[in-house]
């Protein structure tokens, strides 16, 4: 969705104010991995309207910016805007960037002239009439019509190269006239300067949204460097206070948060409805500011990761709940969600393709993973790995995309530990939820504009691998409980189940004011027994086994489990009275602890 | 659905045993009206698999049988089977009957040879090779292929005209071979005779279901007349007991129930899975038997009347909940329910036609209705009519198709009385339900094969007419409660509402084992403001006003209300904590009691 449309939707839904956050592409693989986790966290926990990603001078981060933007668009659950500059970049490269952005589903561009690359004093461009950001805006509109949402930069204190604020505003107007949808400003620390700037913009006929750019002070040195580079004026009390505390980094950061909160409050009080934060790829300050402002759109829209381009999607199988990216990847070609869900999964048009789990660990990664998973030789060794993950001693397990345990899993940690001690290796679960508030921090979810007053529900669910003889024991107990349903299947597709073919079962649902019932998670036995079975069994060999030599005992052990174990799911239909833990305690009594 | 398919579905769903009930078309209009109410009640309360309707000898009830069958198919919520005979009927008439049945959506026929019309000793037919029921079966199959489900009659003690039971079974076999799907037997009182008959049938290769026909003893005279006519043997203990109690009708009836229950229990114990009851158009005995057998499929499948031919339908607007037949009539041409509901109601294909309320009272009916509704001259008179209806002093009110109040309405009767005393004329309502058992006798509902262990919910809802100044007072109070939604609209479509255009709101939903969430009742503001508004306002003039002379004061009063009042609906989104009664008590404090 174009950001200008998202802003208008905010207005219609009454979910003002909103905010956005800006990052830059990091330089190393590891930094990238950490930033992705950070973006995901901030996106899910804070609910920004969009995420902004910069573009290195002269196109120096072409590949990184495109790839990360594309990742954000697809996986963060948040709309992305990618910067694009024209300085020292050939038209070919700009065309490439725009085309690739389009292919990746990115539809928002911040069009900038750009700084000259390091070492060059001034910008140049070989093509005539292609010197200013407005030329880039015009070019994008000419080439791509209304496909892209376009943002441009505003300079509340005038551009560093332009001493005349009126001339600067007329430049801004020409950018908007060329087709830009809205404006984000350069950082500033004097709110009055920004408000005056907005007034002048309005007077000159710039009527689109103007988002103030807020950069929290993170360090004494960094702040002064930035201030002098951008030539922004700073109120004297800030300078004084910083001098006083400059030797204490923590105090400087805390003061930075305080200053930003005060600025934002003043902006909001003056009718500004959107705030843009320069994070410098840091998490804590901006998170604190947003939380203190109480503009946080806390909590999940759905109980699963909801990519920005999938606002129509409302139903998913429960099995992928710990592997949402795998699910998104599998269904990446879907662009239609009749009634919020896929069409009939038995239809050949279903297109739920399985490309196979395709991890490609480097040797270094393999070594690192062996360090945390060990070289298992027995089933007890396997159990230890699962237990270490549940106990927080290791942060990764191959069935879980996220590092560490989700809050929801933590709620039934002891139960899961118990199961794994008896050789039932749990890879998915959710606790029972009966009429919790949709705003509940652990299990709440719901539409951002209508979560208040909603109630959410979940059926208790566990999914685990176990050998056939354990399954027999468990089945005998489960069959005494008429409200419990289960399906067990091995790699060959041999099935033991008490579910009628064709049943599809609601696993998570919510009731919200002025809405129909939402039912975002279901169990579809057919999907479980086909695509999910293959993926879940595949992980033993392809994702875990992959870190060991093919002729190692550990690989053979994992392969053996894959070939002989059953994948079992168990759900308690009775979300009011049911208690799977109690039932399983009974079953474990007849099994042997490893 | 063909009955044989319904039987197979029962088997698959594990909802054996089932039963069916038989009626005959009554002779007077009034008796017909009463029988319809009875059929509806028995259909909804007991859950028969199908209803069987007879056909007079020689086609003497052609019109009545067809019309009532068609009514049962459309409105009772139950599949119908219509008898058809060939004796003394021309092929033309048979063709007509089959074609008309098809047009009316009837797809089950009980093919009989038929008795000779009264006064004639034996049957005749002019067409060659068209003398036996098997010829009629063959004819239906030839003419209509597999469209109709066909049942034939079996005679456990041999046909009255055939002394040889083996010959009789070979006749039955020829009927089945000609294309019949299943068999219903003549009445009997000796279960062993029936079981022996079934065995012989199986031996001779008749493999389809054979339903025993049970006729409870209703009176001493009637029983003996029937027994001698059908030549059935009666165990001596029955005859003895009847002699003993023959002067006490109530005792005879009670004994009849006892005998039938014992017979049915023995049949069920011997593996018979379907029972057919001859009701003689009486309600009490068969109801008692079915209840004592505990084979009752008690309760509603959906919270609204679910016609037999609409198994696909799962969502309806709440507004018609007291006028389900009007709703069915409006939507009679729908034959597709994508995802259980109509398609987009804003689409021109929606086809939610409004033919106008078209009651055509006879003068006698008008007089009767004036007797219960009076000749209202003031708003207080109107209020009195509504109050009389709520208090059970009168049984009809024009917005309610059913006579008297539904259980659900009774639950909030005092609240509704209070509203009507203040001139808020209530025409629709439902109480709040939070997590009641789906088997609850007052508010429960759910799929017959999966109601057990289910939970149902409702949002509290009231709908009423009131003048504009009352609305203003109410609105002011309601606006203090963020979880309450309301829409008020007058005949001109002028609207006062706090609901966003496009919201569709779940009003009733249920969570059942191994199912997705079901959501059978919704409020669609668009439908409310268009079709329902017209129907509800129309009733003032067309259904109530219709009973008065056009130039009467009463007609003018009703017309005046129609033209000036608002139709208001109010719903409490919070089905857990909300309480509309409390909120309205506050509002009524500022209104004047009539």
């Amino acid at each position: 969705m174009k950001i200008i449309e998202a802003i208008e939707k905010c207005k219609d839904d009454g979910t003002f104010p909103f905010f956005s956050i800006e990052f830059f592409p990091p330089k190393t693989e590891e930094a990238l991995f950490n930033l992705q986790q950070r973006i995901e966290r901030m996106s899910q926990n804070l609910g920004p309207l969009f995420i902004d990603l910069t573009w290195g001078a002269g196109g120096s981060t072409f590949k990184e910016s495109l790839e990360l933007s594309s990742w954000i668009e697809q996986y963060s659950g948040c709309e992305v805007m990618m910067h694009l500059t024209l300085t020292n970049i050939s038209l070919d490269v700009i065309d490439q960037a725009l085309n690739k952005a389009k292919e990746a589903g990115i539809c928002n561009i911040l069009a900038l002239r750009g700084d000259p690359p390091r070492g060059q004093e001034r910008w140049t461009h070989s093509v005539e009439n292609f010197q200013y950001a407005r030329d880039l805006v015009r070019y994008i509109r000419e080439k791509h019509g209304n496909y892209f949402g376009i943002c441009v930069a505003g300079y509340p204190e005038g551009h560093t190269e332009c001493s005349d604020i009126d001339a600067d505003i007329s430049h801004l107007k020409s950018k908007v006239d060329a087709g830009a949808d809205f404006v984000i400003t350069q950082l500033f620390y004097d709110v009055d300067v920004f408000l005056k700037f907005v007034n002048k913009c309005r007077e000159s006929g710039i009527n689109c949204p103007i988002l103030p750019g807020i950069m929290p002070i993170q360090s004494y040195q960094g702040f002064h460097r930035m201030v002098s580079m951008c030539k922004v004026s700073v109120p004297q009390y800030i300078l004084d206070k910083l001098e006083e505390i400059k030797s204490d980094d923590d105090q400087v950061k805390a003061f930075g948060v305080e200053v930003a909160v005060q600025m934002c409050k003043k902006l909001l009080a003056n009718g500004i409805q959107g705030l843009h934060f320069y994070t410098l790829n840091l998490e804590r300050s901006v998170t604190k500011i947003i939380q203190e402002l109480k503009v946080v759109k806390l909590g999940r829209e759905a109980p699963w990761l909801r990519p920005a381009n999938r606002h129509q999607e409302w139903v998913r199988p429960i099995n992928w709940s710990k592997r949402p990216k795998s699910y998104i990847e599998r269904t990446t070609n879907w662009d239609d969600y009749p009634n919020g869900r896929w069409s009939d999964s038995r239809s050949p048009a279903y297109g739920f393709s399985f490309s196979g789990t395709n991890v490609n660990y480097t040797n270094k990664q393999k070594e690192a993973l062996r360090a945390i998973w060990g070289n298992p030789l027995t089933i007890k060794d396997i159990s230890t790995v699962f237990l270490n993950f549940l106990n927080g001693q290791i942060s990764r397990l191959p069935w879980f995309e996220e590092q560490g345990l989700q809050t929801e899993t933590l709620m039934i940690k002891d139960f899961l530990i118990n199961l794994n001690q008896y050789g039932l290796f749990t890879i998915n679960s959710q606790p029972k939820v009966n009429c919790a508030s949709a705003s509940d921090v652990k299990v709440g979810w719901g539409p951002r504009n209508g979560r208040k007053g909603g109630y959410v529900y979940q059926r208790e669910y566990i999914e685990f691998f176990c050998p056939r003889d354990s399954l027999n024991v468990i089945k005998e107990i489960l069959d005494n409980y008429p409200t419990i349903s289960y399906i067990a299947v091995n790699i060959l597709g041999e099935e033991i189940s008490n579910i009628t073919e064709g049943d599809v079962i609601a696993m998570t649902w919510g009731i919200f004011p002025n809405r129909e019932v939402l039912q975002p998670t279901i169990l579809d036995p057919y999907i479980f027994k086909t695509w999910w079975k293959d993926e879940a069994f595949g992980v033993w060999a392809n994702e875990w086994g992959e870190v060991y030599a093919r002729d190692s005992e550990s690989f053979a052990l994992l392969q053996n489990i894959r070939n002989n174990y059953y994948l079992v799911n168990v759900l308690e239909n009775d979300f009011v009275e049911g208690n799977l833990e109690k039932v399983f305690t009974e079953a474990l009594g007849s099994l042997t602890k490893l």
Side-chain angles (χ1 to χ4, degrees), chain A residues 294-305:
Chain A
K294 307 216 188 326
V295 294
V296 194
K297 309 293 188 289
L298 257 178
R300 312 167 293 177
E301 268 220 290
W304 28 260
L305 184 72

Side-chain angles (χ1 to χ4, degrees), chain A residues 259-555:
Chain A
V259 167
V261 168
Q262 278 166 11
M263 286 173 64
C264 291
K265 281 189 175 165
K266 188 166 175 181
L267 287 163
L268 294 173
N270 278 279
I272 303 302
Q273 295 284 21
L275 307 168
H276 182 77
F277 294 97
Y278 298 105
T279 66
L280 300 175
N281 284 10
L282 299 171
E283 184 169 358
R284 219 157 323 156
S285 292
V286 169
T287 300
K288 271 193 192 156
I289 294 162
I290 292 171
Q291 283 170 341
E292 283 208 31
L293 289 174
K294 307 216 188 326
V295 294
V296 194
K297 309 293 188 289
L298 257 178
R300 312 167 293 177
E301 268 220 290
W304 28 260
L305 184 72
R306 190 181 178 78
N309 54 0
R310 291 201 180 189
H311 287 291
Q312 284 185 68
E313 188 183 9
W314 262 115
V315 184
R316 276 195 200 170
I318 191 170
N319 314 94
W320 279 266
S321 56
K322 306 292 182 267
R323 291 170 77 85
K325 294 192 189 72
S326 160
Y327 184 80
I328 294 170
E329 203 186 314
R330 275 167 171 276
T331 58
T332 195
N333 291 325
W334 295 3
D335 52 3
D336 186 26
Y337 294 88
N339 301 299
R341 69 196 300 174
W342 61 86
S343 330
D344 182 6
S345 61
R346 284 134 200 93
S347 138
Y350 189 53
F352 199 157
S353 65
F354 183 59
S355 56
T357 48
N358 57 343
V359 293
N360 279 308
Y361 300 127
T362 62
N363 282 335
K364 212 179 141 193
Q365 282 172 321
K366 285 184 188 180
E367 202 177 312
L369 290 172
R370 278 198 301 270
I372 63 170
W373 296 336
N375 290 285
L377 301 175
T378 64
I379 294 296
K380 188 162 166 66
D381 292 343
I382 300 287
S383 169
T384 303
V385 175
F386 278 86
L387 290 169
N388 286 345
F389 180 67
L390 286 168
N391 285 317
Q393 287 161 282
I394 62 174
S395 67
R396 291 186 66 179
L397 201 60
W399 289 270
F400 296 75
E401 282 173 358
E402 207 166 294
Q403 294 204 12
L405 296 177
Q406 291 174 353
T407 320
E408 233 188 30
T409 313
L410 287 169
M411 290 169 69
I412 48 172
K413 195 178 103 171
D414 292 344
F415 173 30
L416 299 175
I417 285 177
N418 210 6
L419 295 176
N420 283 280
Q421 284 174 335
Y422 283 83
L424 314 183
F425 302 137
T426 55
I427 61 166
N428 201 351
S429 62
Q430 69 175 24
K432 175 178 81 176
V433 175
N434 181 17
C435 205
S437 163
S439 310
D440 184 278
V441 287
K442 285 183 180 168
V443 297
W445 56 272
R448 294 238 158 92
N449 61 338
R451 189 178 302 148
K452 213 179 155 191
Y455 297 101
V456 297
Y457 298 78
Q458 289 181 185
R459 281 178 164 142
E460 196 175 5
Y461 179 81
I462 51 169
E463 197 179 310
F464 55 86
F465 293 101
C466 76
R468 175 61 191 255
D469 49 359
S470 302
L471 174 59
N472 291 343
V473 170
I474 293 164
K475 177 185 154 48
E476 205 168 301
I477 304 288
L478 296 184
D479 283 340
N480 297 328
Y481 293 86
T483 57
I484 291 179
S485 298
Y486 60 85
I487 317 172
V489 67
N490 67 8
I491 186 78
L492 301 172
E494 290 164 344
E495 183 189 338
I496 294 164
S497 158
N498 69 350
I499 294 183
T500 311
E501 184 70 39
D503 285 341
V504 171
I505 306 167
M507 295 305 297
T508 307
W509 62 95
I511 316 294
F512 301 92
N514 291 347
R515 288 233 176 205
E516 296 195 56
V517 179
L518 293 177
Q519 177 199 265
T521 323
I522 51 99
L523 177 73
D524 184 331
Y526 181 77
I527 292 175
F528 172 77
K529 290 183 286 188
T530 51
W531 296 288
W532 176 247
K533 177 204 77 176
D534 288 343
E535 179 162 336
F537 276 110
V539 169
W540 286 106
N542 308 338
E543 294 188 36
W544 193 346
E546 189 65 17
V547 308
Y548 307 106
R550 285 292 145 125
D551 57 0
S552 66
E553 274 186 66
S554 291
F555 184 81

Side-chain angles (χ1 to χ4, degrees), chain A residues 38-330:
Chain A
R38 179 165 287 178
I39 288 176
E40 213 177 294
R41 225 165 19 233
M42 291 178 78
S43 166
Q44 297 284 305
N45 295 341
L46 304 176
L49 190 71
F50 64 93
I51 290 168
D52 192 36
L53 191 73
T54 67
W55 172 268
S60 56
T61 62
F62 183 101
K63 188 165 163 284
E64 293 80 0
S65 290
L66 258 171
E67 281 179 3
L68 184 53
S69 293
S70 161
W71 184 93
I72 295 170
E73 177 72 24
Q74 192 163 18
Y75 296 123
S76 77
C78 196
E79 198 58 68
V80 74
M81 176 160 78
M82 188 179 76
H83 292 205
L84 189 62
T85 62
L86 58 74
T87 302
N88 292 81
I89 301 181
S90 77
L91 266 187
D92 265 9
V93 173
I94 289 175
D95 280 339
Q96 260 187 57
L98 289 170
N99 287 331
K100 278 184 190 291
K102 210 167 173 173
E103 275 166 33
I106 300 163
C107 59
N108 289 287
I109 298 288
L110 174 54
L112 294 163
R113 191 190 64 186
D115 298 317
R118 212 169 275 249
Q120 288 182 251
E121 265 283 301
R122 301 189 65 80
W123 51 268
T124 60
H125 203 282
S126 49
V127 180
E128 222 179 324
N129 295 326
F130 205 67
Q131 305 189 337
Y132 301 103
R134 65 165 174 266
D135 300 322
L136 182 54
V137 173
R138 194 182 300 115
Y139 185 76
I140 297 173
R141 284 277 172 255
E142 273 170 22
K143 275 279 202 176
H144 296 276
N146 276 319
Y147 174 79
F148 288 104
I150 303 177
C151 177
V152 289
Y155 299 87
E157 308 192 34
H159 193 277
T160 51
E161 291 172 19
C162 181
S163 51
D164 178 358
I165 178 78
D166 289 324
D168 219 79
I169 284 178
S170 104
H171 285 155
L172 181 58
K173 177 134 196 335
S174 71
K175 292 194 268 189
V176 173
D177 289 346
D181 301 317
F182 71 107
V183 176
I184 294 180
T185 76
Q186 179 67 283
L187 62 103
F188 60 89
Y189 291 94
D190 187 335
V191 173
D192 289 328
V193 166
F194 173 82
L195 294 173
K196 224 156 86 182
F197 168 74
V198 172
N199 274 341
K200 279 189 172 249
C201 286
R202 299 305 180 219
E203 277 164 22
S204 75
I206 299 170
N207 298 314
C208 64
I210 300 172
L211 311 190
I214 316 285
M215 186 182 286
I217 303 165
Q218 303 276 6
S219 77
Y220 179 82
Q221 303 288 355
F223 169 73
H224 277 291
R225 199 167 49 238
M226 193 61 75
V227 160
S228 95
M229 192 172 87
C230 300
K231 296 188 181 143
V232 297
S233 53
V234 182
Q236 193 57 42
Y237 89 96
I238 296 180
L239 296 171
D240 291 350
K241 180 74 185 183
L242 279 177
E243 282 308 316
E244 191 189 315
I245 57 173
K246 65 180 173 186
S247 56
D248 184 337
D249 286 353
D250 287 346
Q251 272 202 57
V252 170
K253 269 192 209 306
F255 178 64
V257 169
E258 195 188 311
V259 167
V261 168
Q262 278 166 11
M263 286 173 64
C264 291
K265 281 189 175 165
K266 188 166 175 181
L267 287 163
L268 294 173
N270 278 279
I272 303 302
Q273 295 284 21
L275 307 168
H276 182 77
F277 294 97
Y278 298 105
T279 66
L280 300 175
N281 284 10
L282 299 171
E283 184 169 358
R284 219 157 323 156
S285 292
V286 169
T287 300
K288 271 193 192 156
I289 294 162
I290 292 171
Q291 283 170 341
E292 283 208 31
L293 289 174
K294 307 216 188 326
V295 294
V296 194
K297 309 293 188 289
L298 257 178
R300 312 167 293 177
E301 268 220 290
W304 28 260
L305 184 72
R306 190 181 178 78
N309 54 0
R310 291 201 180 189
H311 287 291
Q312 284 185 68
E313 188 183 9
W314 262 115
V315 184
R316 276 195 200 170
I318 191 170
N319 314 94
W320 279 266
S321 56
K322 306 292 182 267
R323 291 170 77 85
K325 294 192 189 72
S326 160
Y327 184 80
I328 294 170
E329 203 186 314
R330 275 167 171 276

Side-chain angles (χ1 to χ4, degrees), chain A residues 567-582:
Chain A
L567 174 62
V568 188
N569 70 39
V570 181
L571 71 95
E572 171 55 271
N573 274 296
D574 193 339
F575 57 96
V576 179
E577 308 274 357
N579 185 339
L580 277 190
E581 184 166 3
K582 206 169 136 241

